[in-house]
Amino acid sequence: DSGVTQTPKHLITATGQRVTLRCSPRSGDLSVYWYQQSLDQGLQFLIQYYNGEERAKGNILERFSAQQFPDLHSELNLSSLELGDSALYFCASSTSRTGTGGDEQYFGPGTRLTVT
Amino acid sequence: GENVEQHPSTLSVQEGDSAVIKCTYSDSASNYFPWYKQELGKRPQLIIDIRSNVGEKKDQRIAVTLNKTAKHFSLHITETQPEDSAVYFCAATPGGTALIFGKGTTLSVSS
């Protein structure tokens, strides 16, 4: 157990819908990262938040957005869902004290999203 | 941006043999190189990492080497066991933030 929690574990929804994935980082970790894992694209970085502020952006679609709340939990919002959005979504938290990375990242158990 | 190439994509060894997985990266600014092990349907687990000021690091049966000049790093697993069977990912951190992953290596250890 990494100490990072994610809910829900599984999510099945229809095309065009909107979903919210939730992540709670390890106690004391200020950085949260979101990754998408699909069979054809592998593990891809989406976005990073550090202490409530967006710190880095990767291959995140405009239909996707995220935020980090004062209690440091984070939510990833996916809207206008398409079949191709079906994937495992992982959240990771980092020990970084500055948000500039180069520190260990610990992954949560993931949310499996299926879009039908 | 950073690009991480990982080889081989699949690797089959006999129990007790050694396994080597190699990665190359493109961004000379990358300074942190972790390796993750992922079992089917589970989260990636950090197994070892190395920073750019170190050439080699060892933890029991696993070791990682880094050649900054050639921009490549490798994972070495000795005395492989069936429970080592999993997908292994290398990663690099350009700009020191997000992890850029290789495509993964599926390691199969047969007894």
Side-chain angles (χ1 to χ4, degrees):
Chain A
D1 185 1
S2 64
V4 179
T5 61
Q6 288 186 249
T7 56
K9 195 170 182 179
H10 301 281
L11 201 47
I12 301 174
T13 190
T15 54
Q17 295 298 304
R18 173 190 169 94
V19 297
T20 297
L21 314 183
R22 183 187 169 105
C23 166
S24 292
R26 299 186 322 160
S27 177
D29 284 356
L30 301 177
S31 272
V32 169
Y33 303 79
W34 286 96
Y35 294 88
Q36 179 192 57
Q37 186 174 34
S38 59
L39 280 173
D40 55 342
Q41 294 293 326
L43 265 166
Q44 288 208 318
F45 166 66
L46 295 179
I47 196 164
Q48 176 203 1
Y49 276 82
Y50 173 76
N51 203 20
E53 294 190 2
E54 182 183 305
R55 183 56 67 97
K57 237 175 181 178
N59 299 321
I60 188 166
L61 300 172
E62 285 191 15
R63 300 184 284 108
F64 296 1
S65 65
Q67 52 185 328
Q68 186 178 27
F69 295 87
D71 66 352
L72 300 177
H73 91 271
S74 178
E75 292 181 357
L76 179 67
N77 301 296
L78 315 176
S79 61
S80 302
L81 285 167
E82 301 175 359
L83 295 177
D85 298 326
S86 296
L88 258 174
Y89 291 84
F90 288 105
C91 159
S93 74
S94 166
T95 57
S96 172
R97 295 289 96 200
T98 63
T100 54
D103 297 285
E104 298 88 347
Q105 291 188 25
Y106 295 92
F107 282 71
T111 293
R112 182 172 293 281
L113 173 66
T114 302
V115 182
T116 62
Chain B
E2 175 66 283
N3 183 47
V4 178
E5 300 276 346
Q6 183 172 348
H7 299 281
S9 57
T10 60
L11 181 58
S12 296
V13 300
Q14 291 286 321
E15 183 177 1
D17 287 350
S18 294
V20 180
I21 303 171
K22 299 182 179 182
C23 289
T24 60
Y25 62 98
S26 59
D27 191 336
S28 57
S30 288
N31 58 7
Y32 175 65
F33 307 90
W35 287 86
Y36 285 82
K37 175 184 180 182
Q38 187 178 29
E39 297 174 355
L40 191 61
K42 299 200 173 177
R43 63 184 175 90
Q45 285 186 281
L46 179 66
I47 57 171
I48 196 168
D49 56 14
I50 192 167
R51 299 182 191 280
S52 57
N53 58 348
V54 175
E56 184 173 358
K57 184 176 178 181
K58 193 172 181 180
D59 183 4
Q60 299 183 345
R61 295 187 298 108
I62 60 174
V64 59
T65 59
L66 171 64
N67 183 325
K68 282 173 55 181
T69 303
K71 293 184 193 166
H72 66 70
F73 56 114
S74 300
L75 176 72
H76 304 253
I77 306 174
T78 59
E79 299 173 25
T80 53
Q81 301 167 4
E83 50 265 39
D84 294 330
S85 297
V87 180
Y88 291 81
F89 292 94
C90 63
T93 54
T97 55
L99 296 174
I100 305 301
F101 285 91
K103 293 290 188 187
T105 296
T106 301
L107 174 64
S108 300
V109 182
S110 52
S111 54

